[in-house]
Amino acid sequence: MTSAHESMVSAAIAAIGAAASTVELKAIHAAHLGKQAPLTKAKSELGNLAPEDRKAAGQALNTARKTVEAALAEAEQSMARAELDAQLATETMDLTEIPSGTSVGHAHIVAQAWEELEDVFVGMGFRVAEGPEVETDWYNFDALNLPPEHPARDGFDTIYVNHGEPGQTVLRTHTSPVQIRTMLDQKPPIYIVAPGRVFRRDTADATHMPVFHQIEGLVVDKGIGLAHLAGTIEAFTTAYFGEGFSSRLRPNHFPFTEPSAEFDIQRPDGSWLELGGCGVVHPHVLRSGGIDPEEYSGFAFGFGIDRLALLKFGVDDLRELFTNDVRFLSQF
Amino acid sequence: MKILLSWLTEFAPDGLGPIAQDPAALGDVLTNLGLVVESIEHTGNSWDGIVVAKVLDLQKHPEADRIQLVQVDTGGAASPAGEGLQICCGAFNMSVGDLVPLATIGTTMGNGMEIAQRKMRGQTSNGMLCSAAELEMGDDADADGIFILDAGLTIGTPLADALGAETDVVFDLDVEGNRPDALSVIGVARDLCAKLGVAFSAPVAELDESQPGANDLASVEILDNELCQRFGARVLHNITPGSSPQWMAQRLIAAGQRPISNIVDISNYVMLELGQPNHTYDLDKVPDGKLRVRMARDGESLVTLDGQTRNVTSADGLICDGTDTPIGLAGVMGGESTEISDSTTSVLLEAAVWDRMTIAKTSRHLNLRSEASTRFERGADPLGIERALARFCQLAVEICGATVAEGEIIVAGGWEPTAPVRLRREKCNLLLTTNLTLDEMANYLDRIGFASDPDGDAALIVQVPSWRPDSSIEEDLIEEIGRHHGYEKSGKLVPVPEQPGSLTPAQKGRRLIRRAFLGAGYSEAMPMPFLAPEDLRNAGLSEDGISLANPLVHEESILRTSLMPGLLKAVAYNQSHRSADVRLFELGRVYLANDSDLPDEPEQVAAVLAGASAVEATALLHEIAAVLSLPGMRLINGPRPGMHPGRSAEIQFWGKHLGEVGEVHPAVAEAFEIEGRVGWLRLETGPITTALSKPNKYKRVSRYPSSDLDLAFVVNDSTSAHEVSVAIAKAGAPLARSVEVFDVFRGPQLGDGKRSLAFAVRLQADDRTLSDSDVSTTRQKMIDAVTKKFEAELRA
């Protein structure tokens, strides 16, 4: 580099150092590297030199130009960054002052539990069946081995409605009529669960409502026995409640199953939760569903959906489920 | 049913084994037999280490005012008889010569405190004198002082012996309807002994009998065999009325009964022990000792033991005297006229088994439940009658000094033994998932009284015992085997269905609908499906809801025909709790009367928008339709029931009714005590879920540019924008790809009752770039269609 080059470079560097903005840098770029810049002009004057000097002079000029370009690029980058930072600083907001905005919808906890149960059983190979909530007493009782005048009918606290045959139309007291409808509707193998709304003539209190929800399971296949019931309950227990939960069956009595059992869930802390009833399908029930008990056997189980919903969220009063108070609904 | 451990043990001649010491484990065994233990209660006190002592001397403690030094004679129990043993005591209520309870050194008190030799201010105390509270004798005793004992007791005897108190364990069992036998000590003991593998024994009491015999003193005639299964009676003389001995009173109290008098208590005791309800007549009040058992006649009545006059019908059973006068309501309650009293000396004792259904009906229609009727409804043991009669007599001899007339009167009624049941090994092992041998099955059954004989090498012929009327088919026997073998031994197998699990299109669609409303910001409500009749009227709906035949309350006496009243109540509830503008939806069924057996139960979804108008409700409809990708919806303005007449529209879907949208009628809102406007949207879910199950067909996106144009028409206010838009789309086919209202304008220059509707139309062809003439021709067709069909004018 000649001294002329050096002075051109140092003049450019000085100007860059003095620049206060990217706009000024653009002007400096024009002044020191543009068409009228000394370095540009010097390049066009290279032709005046002797051919043997031309190469060295050209290289020197090139070095000088590169030095200025690099200095400019560096200055531009840091200044652009500083300017962006300054601009962003002016855009600062308090994000905590922003209101929560629109309210979101909350699914009812019974619906949540209902869907979760459906999913668990679908995963286990079950289909979901449904039936009418207003039933004939044949489906609700007779077909399920509860003939008229059976004392156990009293225990169901049945609500009757004024429709159809007088005294023979009920609000179903359990989801079990769906068992009969399913069996009459399809041939085994049957693997279904039937979630649904059921009714009892109960005064509302913390643990009773005249309207509540149950889920019922029915399996009818060849070679089905008690172990398949116990295994299905166990698989459901682990799938729904989680690892560390287990189940047991203990003898009980229901008209629709024989043998009958109650099933309990054991929590990881060892405590037990009574969940529902189950058993091997009574031959009368199979026959009501048009199935030959000598060819097929099956099991059934049932329990409350509402109860699981209450347990999951620690709600201690069944009536809460039906208040429709948004302060309740929006918690879940 | 409360069952005492000591009572159970009386039926186990060799005891229950080591488990008897562990009531909790015993409780688990009972529960695992299906006799669910609801609670285990310990009664009585053992008072181990506490003896009767006599106060010999009382001295002031030299160092303490609140303690005195007591010298007691423990009669050799804790110190040589006759010598004083020093006790430091903080109570001052005893005198020299009093008998007091002394907790000797080494005693653990009921509260866990251990009695040891202690020094109190330099003086040795060799035990503790006890107050009633320290003896846990209940709160009626004076807790402040030492419990002064009856002067007649022997010094040095253990307190438990001196006071005759026993400890016991009470199991409260929840007995299911199929186990009438377990409503008795004998039945529970039979099951328990079988499960524990210990001997069970229930001998019939042997009696010294007198002449003349019962059959000479009394007689029984059964006129209706359907009513009475079997009837037994005995006669007792020389009854001495009085109270029951302590042991019997204590057992009855522990079992939940109140001791009354010796004969009544014996009657209850025998019922609890053997499950056989029984009844005593004052023999002198029964002419000739004659009993006639028959169905009642309509119009008859009698006064029962509780003093009530009972009007009976031909569905009820009676016990009458020889003159055919009713003296007892069969199986439910005895009559007042023959009740035993203090002057009774001779008793006619009845133990009968009645028809289950008749007793159930009688107790229901008279609303009269008794311990007896409960047992008869479930089924008592027809062959247990002799045992019950003998046990009663045995106790009456022991307690009342009675003499027993020789023999029993037994009259056969309608009872027939259950037909033998064939049990196949294979069937049993299939249903229990077990691999039991025929011998094992026979053994489990035999231990609970089901005798059997092999039928070939793969089946048993089983005799059902008379105390198990619930058992009549093979599956009943399989359950018995399962109970005694243990359900847990069946193992756990997960059956694998051939078909995969799945939801139906309707179930999937329901979920999508729920998600759409949740996504739009609506929370899911769950109102009761019952309404009061006025709820429908208040909602402007027709009052044709199906009524409940036996409602609990008027407010819940009909089934809803609409989701509107329930949701409006929810809005009102929330408004009254300072949540004004709630957004709620419900997904549920309504119940519509029809001519068939069962009503229609269409599923619907409805949303309420408190504090919002038809505009927001319609926007919600569009949002739901967009989220669910439901083309083909059409709105038809017009009044709908319960809705604002000028702000409601029917929603049609591919030409079929789908629901309605708009605003709740202000008068309806007011009737439900709601403030402000209420937006409303209701949809039938059926057509939607059907549509959702068919995916929208792919349409290839056109590669050619589209062209937009705006059209504005002045139309009457009554002209539906939707209809105009449909007309434009139709006329613009096939090039019109979308038609949207983008502006509505009213102004004096348009005239009264007129408005301008501006539509943005996008045109596009699949096969070419649109030419100018394509656009102008289509534009003209659309204009012509609108101006021709409606009273409309194109705005320049």
Side-chain angles (χ1 to χ4, degrees):
Chain A
M1 238 194 301
T2 66
S3 63
H5 293 154
E6 277 174 8
S7 69
M8 282 184 246
V9 168
S10 51
I13 300 287
I16 291 166
S21 70
T22 51
V23 177
E24 283 182 40
L25 282 176
K26 283 212 166 73
I28 291 165
H29 189 279
H32 294 273
L33 295 173
K35 280 178 184 164
Q36 301 304 318
L39 276 171
T40 313
K41 286 184 176 156
K43 193 179 179 185
S44 63
E45 287 162 9
L46 282 176
N48 303 337
L49 296 182
E52 63 271 25
D53 296 335
R54 229 178 262 166
K55 189 176 179 191
Q59 278 174 349
L61 190 59
N62 208 28
T63 306
R65 194 177 176 91
K66 283 248 158 70
T67 308
V68 174
E69 280 175 350
L72 254 177
E74 191 191 330
E76 261 167 359
Q77 195 183 359
S78 66
M79 206 161 288
R81 176 68 201 213
E83 284 175 11
L84 180 62
D85 286 349
Q87 188 206 330
L88 296 188
T90 67
E91 294 179 4
T92 300
M93 297 172 83
D94 174 11
L95 299 187
T96 66
E97 76 185 16
I98 297 160
S100 68
T102 54
S103 60
V104 297
H106 299 267
H108 197 281
I109 59 172
V110 170
Q112 292 182 31
W114 180 312
E115 289 189 1
E116 204 177 338
L117 289 165
E118 282 180 344
D119 290 344
V120 164
F121 283 109
V122 165
M124 290 167 62
F126 285 71
R127 302 203 166 178
V128 179
E130 296 174 45
E133 292 172 8
V134 184
E135 266 294 7
T136 65
D137 63 350
W138 187 84
Y139 280 103
N140 195 73
F141 290 125
D142 301 42
L144 293 162
N145 198 30
L146 279 159
E149 301 300 327
H150 193 293
R153 277 200 187 192
D154 281 357
F156 284 96
D157 302 315
T158 312
I159 299 173
Y160 288 83
V161 296
N162 296 316
H163 184 90
E165 289 292 310
Q168 290 179 23
T169 313
V170 304
L171 298 183
R172 65 177 178 190
T173 58
H174 42 202
T175 40
S176 309
V178 182
Q179 289 187 22
I180 305 297
R181 290 184 177 276
T182 304
M183 288 189 282
L184 290 173
D185 205 44
Q186 76 177 85
K187 292 216 171 316
I190 292 170
Y191 289 79
I192 56 135
V193 286
R197 177 167 272 190
V198 299
F199 306 82
R200 298 278 170 97
R201 198 169 176 275
D202 265 334
T203 305
D205 64 26
T207 55
H208 296 85
M209 284 298 288
V211 176
F212 55 104
H213 304 86
Q214 276 186 346
I215 186 163
E216 178 112 359
L218 173 70
V219 166
V220 181
D221 206 341
K222 288 194 170 152
I224 292 291
L226 200 60
H228 301 104
L229 168 60
T232 300
I233 296 288
E234 181 81 3
F236 154 74
T237 301
T238 320
Y240 184 83
F241 292 96
E243 292 293 333
F245 285 81
S246 61
S247 64
R248 72 172 175 200
L249 306 188
R250 47 186 176 76
N252 208 289
H253 170 68
F254 302 102
F256 6 94
T257 47
E258 187 89 52
S260 299
E262 193 84 27
F263 66 94
D264 304 332
I265 306 300
Q266 190 169 33
R267 303 185 181 93
D269 68 3
S271 61
W272 291 95
L273 167 71
E274 280 183 39
L275 198 61
C278 60
V280 173
V281 181
H282 194 286
H284 178 93
V285 176
L286 289 175
R287 280 192 288 269
S288 299
I291 289 170
D292 179 2
E294 288 302 309
E295 192 179 357
Y296 291 100
S297 55
F299 64 78
F301 56 88
F303 53 92
I305 298 176
D306 311 56
R307 181 134 172 274
L308 287 186
L310 297 186
L311 279 171
K312 178 166 183 175
F313 297 105
V315 181
D316 56 6
D317 192 326
L318 191 55
R319 286 169 293 195
E320 284 277 21
L321 298 180
F322 298 89
T323 58
N324 303 309
D325 189 325
V326 290
R327 294 167 301 176
F328 173 77
L329 298 175
S330 59
Q331 289 179 38
F332 314 104
Chain B
M1 176 78 195
K2 290 185 169 184
I3 300 276
L4 278 68
L5 176 57
S6 64
W7 209 339
L8 280 175
T9 311
E10 286 178 10
F11 290 90
D14 303 329
L16 296 174
I19 199 170
Q21 306 306 317
D22 186 350
L26 213 44
D28 287 344
V29 173
L30 289 166
T31 295
N32 282 321
L33 281 168
L35 306 172
V36 179
V37 175
E38 301 206 307
S39 68
I40 300 177
E41 193 191 331
H42 295 262
T43 64
N45 295 289
S46 64
W47 294 328
D48 283 338
I50 303 178
V51 299
V52 178
K54 182 179 181 180
V55 179
L56 297 177
D57 186 32
L58 296 164
Q59 293 289 330
K60 259 186 71 100
H61 189 293
E63 306 282 326
D65 288 347
R66 295 190 172 187
I67 302 174
Q68 61 175 338
L69 303 179
V70 187
Q71 300 295 328
V72 295
D73 178 2
T74 66
S79 56
E83 286 183 21
L85 180 71
Q86 179 168 293
I87 311 291
C88 297
C89 183
F92 293 83
N93 67 319
M94 57 284 200
S95 315
V96 171
D98 281 349
L99 298 189
V100 290
L102 169 70
T104 57
I105 289 166
T107 301
T108 304
M109 301 301 292
N111 65 3
M113 181 172 69
E114 299 248 359
I115 304 299
Q117 192 181 57
R118 291 173 64 197
K119 286 233 169 176
M120 296 174 88
R121 296 269 178 119
Q123 295 290 333
T124 303
S125 184
N126 296 296
M128 185 180 82
L129 303 184
C130 306
S131 67
E134 284 158 344
L135 294 171
E136 300 184 313
M137 291 181 69
D139 31 44
D140 53 352
D142 176 9
D144 289 338
I146 298 303
F147 183 61
I148 309 294
L149 300 169
D150 190 0
L153 300 177
T154 308
I155 302 169
T157 49
L159 187 66
D161 294 351
L163 296 185
E166 278 181 47
T167 61
D168 216 328
V169 179
V170 185
F171 297 99
D172 193 358
L173 304 182
D174 181 15
V175 177
E176 294 294 335
N178 67 328
R179 292 298 306 278
D181 65 306
L183 290 175
S184 66
V185 179
I186 188 176
V188 174
R190 184 187 293 115
D191 228 16
L192 181 63
C193 291
K195 185 79 173 180
L196 295 177
V198 300
F200 166 82
S201 169
V204 176
E206 286 182 24
L207 302 166
D208 286 334
E209 297 174 322
S210 67
Q211 290 294 339
N215 284 291
D216 296 327
L217 297 165
S219 65
V220 177
E221 189 184 1
I222 298 178
L223 302 173
D224 290 297
N225 273 345
E226 296 77 27
L227 166 63
C228 186
Q229 299 204 327
R230 199 160 178 264
F231 197 108
R234 270 189 178 266
V235 174
L236 297 99
H237 301 295
N238 305 321
I239 298 285
T240 311
S243 55
S244 300
Q246 185 73 10
W247 65 266
M248 178 177 275
Q250 276 180 355
R251 278 197 171 170
L252 290 173
I253 290 168
Q257 299 263 344
R258 196 164 53 90
I260 294 165
S261 66
N262 51 16
I263 285 292
V264 175
D265 293 350
I266 290 169
S267 173
N268 285 330
Y269 191 90
V270 170
M271 176 182 70
L272 293 173
E273 179 172 277
L274 302 175
Q276 173 63 54
N278 53 82
H279 182 70
T280 48
Y281 303 86
D282 185 331
L283 183 59
D284 296 332
K285 296 177 188 165
V286 182
D288 303 328
K290 268 190 172 171
L291 298 182
R292 288 163 57 85
V293 174
R294 62 167 172 84
M295 293 306 286
R297 293 183 280 268
D298 290 338
E300 281 188 298
S301 70
L302 85 158
V303 179
T304 43
L305 281 173
D306 54 6
Q308 304 278 313
T309 301
R310 306 287 178 179
N311 295 312
V312 293
T313 71
S314 56
D316 303 313
L318 290 177
I319 297 131
C320 301
D321 64 15
T323 68
D324 211 32
T325 305
I327 56 171
L329 196 52
V332 181
M333 198 178 270
E336 197 179 55
S337 66
T338 54
E339 187 178 0
I340 55 164
S341 65
D342 287 349
S343 58
T344 301
T345 58
S346 294
V347 159
L348 175 58
L349 170 65
E350 165 199 318
V353 172
W354 306 95
D355 175 60
R356 294 155 68 179
M357 221 63 104
T358 306
I359 303 304
K361 279 191 220 162
T362 297
S363 105
R364 209 176 317 168
H365 96 79
L366 293 178
N367 198 16
L368 179 60
R369 287 198 181 278
S370 62
E371 292 270 351
S373 71
T374 303
R375 284 172 172 78
F376 289 131
E377 268 181 36
R378 299 190 186 193
D381 177 7
L383 299 187
I385 285 173
E386 287 89 339
R387 181 197 310 280
L389 291 171
R391 179 63 167 148
F392 187 108
C393 294
Q394 180 192 35
L395 290 169
V397 169
E398 184 186 318
I399 292 166
C400 316
T403 51
V404 182
E406 192 239 339
E408 59 218 349
I409 302 161
I410 296 288
V411 183
W415 181 71
E416 281 175 28
T418 307
V421 180
R422 186 161 185 270
L423 173 74
R424 293 163 294 171
R425 187 185 61 210
E426 214 175 313
K427 182 83 172 179
C428 181
N429 281 329
L430 167 71
L431 295 191
L432 295 178
T433 332
T434 48
N435 199 13
L436 298 171
T437 64
L438 221 44
D439 278 353
E440 287 170 315
M441 293 174 190
N443 188 39
Y444 283 128
L445 289 171
D446 182 59
R447 298 185 57 82
I448 50 171
F450 292 74
S452 63
D453 290 307
D455 181 30
D457 56 3
L460 296 172
I461 298 292
V462 181
Q463 308 293 332
V464 176
S466 55
W467 58 83
R468 291 301 300 270
D470 58 294
S471 290
S472 58
I473 61 171
E474 192 175 27
E475 284 78 2
D476 293 323
L477 307 180
I478 293 171
E479 180 173 72
E480 296 304 310
I481 293 167
R483 279 192 320 120
H484 281 274
H485 180 59
Y487 282 6
E488 70 285 354
K489 295 208 186 99
S490 292
K492 291 173 180 174
L493 296 171
V494 183
V496 180
E498 284 170 27
Q499 304 261 347
S502 61
L503 296 177
T504 63
Q507 289 155 356
K508 289 180 191 160
R510 180 189 296 149
R511 290 182 172 204
L512 291 171
I513 292 168
R514 174 176 286 124
R515 295 288 169 285
F517 279 90
L518 293 173
Y522 286 70
S523 283
E524 188 172 9
M526 199 168 275
M528 297 281 280
F530 302 133
L531 299 174
E534 57 267 26
D535 290 334
L536 288 174
R537 192 185 323 136
N538 288 341
L541 305 170
S542 69
E543 295 172 49
D544 51 3
I546 296 167
S547 57
L548 307 194
N550 55 342
L552 271 174
V553 286
H554 175 78
E555 289 70 31
E556 298 173 359
S557 60
I558 61 166
L559 292 176
R560 66 182 178 194
T561 54
S562 161
L563 300 183
M564 189 184 270
L567 283 171
L568 291 181
K569 285 184 194 177
V571 169
Y573 177 90
N574 280 293
Q575 284 194 345
S576 70
H577 292 80
R578 300 182 54 84
S579 301
D581 295 343
V582 293
R583 299 281 189 277
L584 296 172
F585 78 99
E586 185 190 4
L587 197 47
R589 300 183 190 180
V590 298
Y591 312 87
L592 308 177
N594 59 24
D595 291 335
S596 57
D597 278 1
L598 296 176
D600 292 324
E601 296 181 19
E603 188 181 61
Q604 306 188 343
V605 61
V608 273
L609 301 74
S613 72
V615 175
E616 287 98 325
T618 309
L620 172 65
L621 169 66
H622 292 316
E623 183 176 349
I624 298 295
V627 167
L628 297 175
S629 297
L630 294 174
M633 269 207 215
R634 190 171 162 206
L635 295 185
I636 298 157
N637 289 324
R640 307 287 306 166
M643 296 182 68
H644 188 307
R647 294 188 173 191
S648 52
E650 183 190 2
I651 306 163
Q652 288 193 353
F653 188 51
W654 301 118
K656 284 189 182 146
H657 175 78
L658 186 67
E660 67 262 337
V661 64
E663 227 168 280
V664 172
H665 197 296
V668 170
E670 196 188 334
F672 282 86
E673 297 176 357
I674 294 172
E675 304 242 350
R677 295 185 182 274
V678 181
W680 174 257
L681 168 64
R682 182 192 64 87
L683 300 166
E684 304 276 344
T685 64
I688 297 177
T689 57
T690 306
L692 290 175
S693 68
K694 294 174 208 140
N696 288 342
K697 260 270 184 321
Y698 165 70
K699 267 181 244 145
R700 192 187 170 90
V701 176
S702 171
R703 297 164 181 195
Y704 298 92
S706 58
S707 181
D708 291 345
L709 59 93
D710 294 345
L711 292 172
F713 298 95
V714 176
V715 297
N716 291 331
D717 273 343
S718 60
T719 303
S720 156
H722 181 81
E723 300 298 328
V724 178
S725 142
V726 168
I728 294 172
K730 218 170 164 183
L735 299 182
R737 292 296 149 96
S738 68
V739 180
E740 301 286 348
V741 178
F742 74 93
D743 188 43
V744 181
F745 170 74
R746 286 181 177 80
Q749 66 271 41
L750 300 180
D752 265 1
K754 300 270 186 189
R755 73 197 198 281
S756 159
L757 294 173
F759 297 88
V761 182
R762 171 161 290 187
L763 304 181
Q764 193 175 32
D766 289 333
D767 54 353
R768 65 184 189 281
T769 301
L770 294 175
S771 66
D772 287 351
S773 77
D774 282 335
V775 174
S776 60
T777 312
T778 305
R779 182 172 183 275
Q780 197 54 51
K781 275 200 248 169
M782 296 191 290
I783 293 167
D784 291 347
V786 172
T787 51
K788 199 170 149 196
K789 183 162 184 188
F790 305 99
E791 202 179 302
E793 205 177 298
L794 183 70
R795 276 189 95 203

